[in-house]
Amino acid sequence: MGLLAESGPRLFSAILEQATKGDGGTPIGGKAAGFDVKALRAFRVLRPLRLVSGVPSLQVVLNSIIKAMVPLLHIALLVLFVIIIYAIIGLELFMGKMHKTCFEYKGGHRAKAHGRHCGQNGTTCYSDWEGPNDGITNFDNFAFAMLTVFQCITMEGWTEVLYWVNDAIGNSWPWLYFVTLIIIGSFFVLNLVLGVLSG
């Protein structure tokens, strides 16, 4: 059994080499067999994995990664669950709220100003703005809500999303949504990945 385990990768490599070497006329290597196996040549990129059997430290790392796949899948499902829950809450709280902004007239043309507290500096509020990030960052539908929550969980520009929501509906309570999202989604759930890998 040990001999088979050691010679298994070499045997697979030899079979793959013979199967992809043909010129099209042999039964195993070409179209005469009714099946084109030239696409199997892509598996040649796996040849460097044969080095793993010669380096014990690489075997330890590879075995650790393989053993961690199932717990990492469970953590990924937990992250997806948190994203879905917060996307639904965001839909209920912020749907359609991020399309108003202040506009000012310059030379007869309407130009967008910053912020949504209109009436200051001669600006007027209109609700036909596409939204932040060319309309991508919003809570108008489930897909964009999940994308916005994912952006916040990765902590890449989550404060900008918080400020946009504050500009849209006020700053009295939306911080509760975003702070709990960061604490639960980013600090706790995403760091479980490190716990799985270190265990």
Side-chain angles (χ1 to χ4, degrees):
M1 190 65 157
L3 179 64
L4 183 61
E6 291 178 4
S7 63
R10 281 187 248 139
L11 180 64
F12 176 73
S13 179
I15 292 173
L16 185 63
E17 183 81 28
Q18 291 300 319
T20 59
K21 191 190 293 185
D23 57 354
T26 61
I28 195 170
K31 294 187 178 181
F35 175 68
D36 189 9
V37 293
K38 290 183 180 180
L40 293 177
R41 290 182 183 173
F43 288 105
R44 289 182 180 178
V45 298
L46 300 176
R47 283 182 182 171
L49 289 178
R50 290 186 291 185
L51 296 174
V52 173
S53 61
V55 182
S57 60
L58 283 178
Q59 286 180 343
V60 171
V61 171
L62 192 62
N63 287 335
S64 299
I65 291 173
I66 290 172
K67 287 178 183 177
M69 283 299 172
V70 173
L72 284 176
L73 177 64
H74 294 158
I75 299 300
L77 290 175
L78 182 61
V79 170
L80 182 64
F81 178 73
V82 170
I83 289 174
I84 288 172
I85 293 299
Y86 270 91
I88 292 171
I89 295 171
L91 278 170
E92 292 295 323
L93 297 176
F94 310 124
M95 183 187 292
K97 299 283 198 290
M98 302 180 74
H99 295 287
K100 293 181 180 178
T101 192
C102 299
F103 290 91
E104 60 183 348
Y105 285 92
K106 290 184 177 178
H109 297 288
R110 193 171 73 171
K112 184 176 75 71
H114 64 283
R116 292 175 182 82
H117 299 294
C118 303
Q120 304 169 359
N121 301 325
T123 59
T124 308
C125 186
Y126 292 101
S127 60
D128 57 351
W129 184 42
E130 68 272 8
N133 290 331
D134 297 322
I136 295 174
T137 303
N138 61 53
F139 291 93
D140 290 348
N141 58 42
F142 189 67
F144 281 142
M146 285 187 65
L147 189 62
T148 304
V149 169
F150 178 75
Q151 175 187 350
C152 294
I153 282 181
T154 60
M155 298 183 70
E156 185 65 36
W158 75 274
T159 53
E160 294 178 0
V161 179
L162 170 63
Y163 294 149
W164 282 323
V165 172
N166 283 344
D167 285 343
I169 62 174
N171 58 4
S172 58
W173 59 268
W175 62 271
L176 284 170
Y177 174 83
F178 289 97
V179 169
T180 57
L181 174 61
I182 293 302
I183 291 173
I184 295 172
S186 185
F187 292 162
F188 179 67
V189 175
L190 283 187
N191 284 328
L192 287 177
V193 175
L194 298 178
V196 167
L197 292 179
S198 65

